[in-house]
Amino acid sequence: MVKEQFRERNTACKISHVTFCVDSPTEIQTQSHLQIVSKNLYCQDPQRNPVPHGLLDRRMGTNQKDANCTTCGQNLSDCVGHFGYIDLPLPVFHIGYFRCVINILQSICKNPTCVRILLSDEKAATFRAKLRNPGLSYLVRKAMKKKILEMTKKVGVCPHCGDINGTVKKCGLLKISHEKYRNRTKKKEAIIEDILTEYNEAVKFNPEIESHKKFGLIQVMNPLEVLQLFDAIPLEDIPLLLMNADLSKPSDLILTRLLVPPNCIRPSVISDLKSGTNEDDLTMKLSENL
């Protein structure tokens, strides 16, 4: 992908507004200059040149006084640095968006063939009409988001596909559980008995797992499953999640691609004996994803 050169305008411009959003994988790639694919940092040569497409590739800038950036040709004091990106083998939860992910999962149907918001068509149309008002303040939108979440929490059966939906909550470090049958265990419905049949057979051979049988009704959702659900959310339901589909989508809250900061942010320190270098902690952490 060829990056466009920034050119100053001849006419004066006025900033109309500032928008904050979540970068999508496509936007991360657009902001970057190269993809990082090599785990090694240096070539096996006496000069210890950085490996091409590695974390110290000089196309992301330079952190040495005697070397120039190969992207802009500037030295250490003039080069502002350039970003790279890493494609993750599997999607992961972002700790900063974790609560938002749980709230969205609570608001939508977890059936992969439906994934509609848990509101009737009449209620959804009412909220859509209110959200079309461009003059809504932040506090009004926040209150409306809270109201939608409270309403969807009380819905046990999807009004669109009829599938059962339960409580979504955090269960451990960056883990999400869906207690689908939480409100139906006391009724002893046939569907619950069918699910627990296999567990009842296991209890006969190992009575010690009797106390853990209840966990058979709990689904632990991994990031890949959540990403597939978020990708399937209809565009007309995204505004009901108080998100702007033109700027960010729910699937952008799941990390599939990482930005790699410029080399000047992650300087390599040459040891006193000049037998090697001490690498920045961020560089070493990023290398673990390759």
Side-chain angles (χ1 to χ4, degrees):
M1 181 180 296
V2 179
K3 296 188 69 65
E4 297 182 358
Q5 183 180 2
F6 174 77
R7 292 182 174 85
E8 294 282 353
R9 293 179 178 268
N10 295 327
T11 57
C13 297
K14 182 180 179 181
I15 298 175
S16 60
H17 63 280
V18 177
T19 303
F20 297 93
C21 59
V22 182
D23 282 344
S24 66
T26 303
E27 291 171 339
I28 290 177
Q29 184 177 358
T30 303
Q31 297 169 14
S32 306
H33 284 260
L34 77 157
Q35 181 181 3
I36 308 300
V37 296
S38 177
K39 188 179 183 68
N40 297 327
L41 299 179
Y42 297 99
C43 299
Q44 299 298 325
D45 56 3
Q47 292 77 23
R48 287 179 60 83
N49 292 315
V51 172
H53 292 279
L55 287 166
L56 299 178
D57 193 316
R58 290 203 175 100
R59 281 176 287 182
M60 291 187 291
T62 178
N63 54 23
Q64 304 294 335
K65 295 182 180 179
D66 56 349
N68 291 341
C69 171
T70 56
T71 296
C72 62
Q74 302 294 328
N75 55 24
L76 177 61
S77 59
D78 296 329
C79 176
V80 296
H82 314 279
F83 281 87
Y85 71 91
I86 295 175
D87 281 331
L88 299 175
L90 290 171
V92 296
F93 292 126
H94 190 297
I95 190 171
Y97 306 141
F98 194 62
R99 176 53 55 184
C100 295
V101 170
I102 292 177
N103 290 340
I104 292 176
L105 284 173
Q106 185 65 72
S107 302
I108 63 173
C109 176
K110 270 67 73 178
N111 183 358
T113 60
C114 178
V115 203
R116 297 286 306 278
I117 192 162
L118 295 174
L119 292 175
S120 62
D121 293 335
E122 295 78 10
K123 293 180 180 178
T126 302
F127 280 112
R128 287 194 189 98
K130 294 179 180 179
L131 291 170
R132 290 193 188 100
N133 181 7
L136 283 179
S137 65
Y138 169 77
L139 293 178
V140 174
R141 293 175 63 86
K142 185 178 180 180
M144 196 173 299
K145 180 179 180 180
K146 182 179 180 181
K147 186 176 181 180
I148 292 175
L149 181 61
E150 291 176 349
M151 294 176 64
T152 53
K153 278 185 176 180
K154 300 176 182 178
V155 178
V157 178
C158 177
H160 306 286
C161 68
D163 195 20
I164 300 173
N165 283 265
T167 304
V168 178
K169 63 180 183 179
K170 177 182 177 182
C171 63
L173 182 62
L174 289 182
K175 291 184 179 180
I176 298 176
S177 65
H178 177 211
E179 299 180 6
K180 186 173 183 178
Y181 305 100
R182 180 177 183 178
N183 298 326
R184 296 173 178 266
T185 53
K186 296 181 180 180
K187 300 179 181 179
K188 295 184 179 180
E189 297 184 7
I191 185 173
I192 297 178
E193 296 298 328
D194 293 339
I195 295 174
L196 293 179
T197 299
E198 297 181 2
Y199 292 91
N200 292 331
E201 291 294 328
V203 169
K204 294 179 181 179
F205 298 96
N206 188 0
E208 295 180 359
I209 66 174
E210 173 70 29
S211 59
H212 301 281
K213 187 173 67 173
K214 61 181 180 180
F215 295 107
L217 300 175
I218 299 177
Q219 176 191 5
V220 178
M221 308 185 72
N222 59 56
L224 184 59
E225 294 173 335
V226 176
L227 179 61
Q228 292 172 349
L229 288 176
F230 283 4
D231 280 331
I233 296 177
L235 288 177
E236 62 268 19
D237 284 352
I238 292 180
L240 297 174
L241 301 172
L242 275 295
M243 295 187 70
N244 189 343
D246 296 331
L247 299 176
S248 301
K249 294 182 173 60
S251 57
D252 298 337
L253 301 175
I254 309 296
L255 286 182
T256 58
R257 183 170 285 167
L258 286 179
L259 267 176
V260 178
N263 293 339
C264 56
I265 298 178
R266 308 174 282 109
S268 302
V269 180
I270 300 177
S271 62
D272 296 335
L273 300 176
K274 295 190 176 181
S275 57
T277 56
N278 296 324
E279 303 303 333
D280 188 81
D281 292 341
L282 183 56
T283 300
M284 303 310 297
K285 277 295 180 183
L286 288 170
S287 65
E288 296 175 2
N289 299 298
L290 296 169

